[in-house]
């Protein structure tokens, strides 16, 4: 599976989960908990692995820098909405407005990724490289899956650092 297929597969899955979430009625509490948990469990590993494997490969190129930094910002925004949604869900407060905001934000983000970011990537990576990136992406996700919220935020910050800082950060993050 190449990186485009791997990312598309995840994108379609999360879009499906978001559609189910916003169609729930107020009394589907267990299903709501479960869908939000699944979105969290899929989205965070996807985003961290995507940053490490794809974004950072494109960020060093003039053609990719601007769109990749825009993508990072959208990851931060979507994850903030997800955190608010998790809290609203737990305390059983009105959650649907936030769920709809998250759905819109992610649909917009995914659309840009699959058009603008993919088109830069297609110009830069050979087919073989796209396959290698796909493998690396899939291999990385399970490791991120078990991380808590704080660790995943630290991972985002680490992905955002210029490459020359990565080795320093590895040391400070060792546990
Ligand atoms: Fe993505
Ligand atoms: Fe993304």
């Amino acid at each position: 599976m190449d990186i485009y297929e791997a990312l598309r597969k995840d994108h379609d899955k999360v879009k499906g989960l978001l559609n189910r979430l916003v169609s729930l009625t107020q009394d589907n509490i267990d299903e709501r908990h479960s869908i939000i948990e699944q979105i969290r469990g899929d989205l965070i590993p996807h985003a961290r692995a995507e940053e490490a494997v794809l974004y950072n490969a494109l960020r060093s190129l003039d053609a990719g820098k601007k769109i990749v930094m825009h993508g990072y910002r959208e990851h931060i925004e979507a994850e903030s909405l997800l955190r608010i949604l998790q809290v609203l869900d737990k305390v059983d407060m009105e959650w649907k407005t936030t769920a709809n905001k998250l759905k819109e934000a992610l649909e917009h983000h995914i659309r840009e990724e699959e058009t603008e970011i993919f088109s830069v990537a297609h110009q830069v990576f050979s087919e073989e490289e796209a396959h290698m990136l796909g493998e690396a992406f899939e291999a990385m996700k399970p490791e991120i899956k078990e991380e808590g919220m704080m660790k995943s935020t630290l991972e985002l910050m680490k992905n955002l650092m210029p490459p020359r800082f990565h080795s320093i950060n590895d040391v400070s993050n060792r546990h």
Side-chain angles (χ1 to χ4, degrees):
M1 190 165 24
D2 67 24
I3 186 70
Y4 312 108
E5 245 183 292
L7 293 174
R8 258 201 206 97
K9 183 167 62 71
D10 285 359
H11 292 164
D12 291 346
K13 190 174 170 209
V14 84
K15 282 196 277 188
L17 288 168
L18 287 159
N19 280 327
R20 274 174 59 201
L21 179 67
V22 298
S23 70
L24 289 179
T25 54
Q26 206 56 42
D27 49 3
N28 291 133
I29 296 176
D30 289 343
E31 201 179 346
R32 188 181 79 212
H33 289 333
S34 141
I35 294 175
I36 291 173
E37 198 44 50
Q38 283 180 66
I39 291 172
R40 194 266 164 214
D42 287 348
L43 192 70
I44 304 299
H46 172 92
R48 292 298 80 75
E50 180 177 81
E51 290 160 4
V53 170
L54 181 66
Y55 281 20
N56 283 347
L58 296 176
R59 187 158 62 141
S60 52
L61 308 164
D62 282 346
K65 188 171 172 63
K66 203 168 162 220
I67 182 68
V68 160
M69 294 317 283
H70 180 76
Y72 265 110
R73 167 171 278 276
E74 290 183 344
H75 284 183
I76 293 167
E77 287 166 356
E79 284 164 42
S80 306
L81 285 170
L82 178 62
R83 277 169 220 203
I84 296 168
L85 182 63
Q86 284 180 305
V87 177
L88 293 173
D89 171 50
K90 286 211 174 76
V91 299
D92 208 21
M93 275 171 81
E94 203 286 311
W95 54 275
K96 214 160 218 179
T97 311
T98 307
N100 274 303
K101 277 190 200 161
L102 178 64
K103 177 176 176 284
E104 276 164 34
L106 282 174
E107 283 171 354
H108 163 91
H109 175 67
I110 288 168
R111 203 174 320 124
E112 282 189 345
E113 226 155 56
E114 292 185 358
T115 53
E116 297 177 44
I117 294 194
F118 280 19
S119 103
V120 177
H122 275 295
Q123 292 165 36
V124 175
F125 303 128
S126 68
E127 256 177 60
E128 199 191 343
E129 285 167 335
H131 270 97
M132 281 168 53
L133 292 172
E135 300 290 324
F137 173 75
E138 289 298 337
M140 203 174 282
K141 279 194 298 180
E143 282 191 40
I144 304 162
K145 198 150 192 145
E146 302 311 318
E147 288 174 1
M149 228 18 144
M150 195 28 116
K151 182 79 196 307
S152 73
T153 302
L154 289 171
E155 287 291 330
L156 185 147
M157 289 166 71
K158 180 179 156 190
N159 284 337
L160 258 175
M161 281 184 158
R164 67 182 180 281
F165 293 118
H166 280 177
S167 58
I168 301 169
N169 205 270
D170 280 342
V171 174
S172 64
N173 258 350
R174 205 159 278 160
H175 54 274

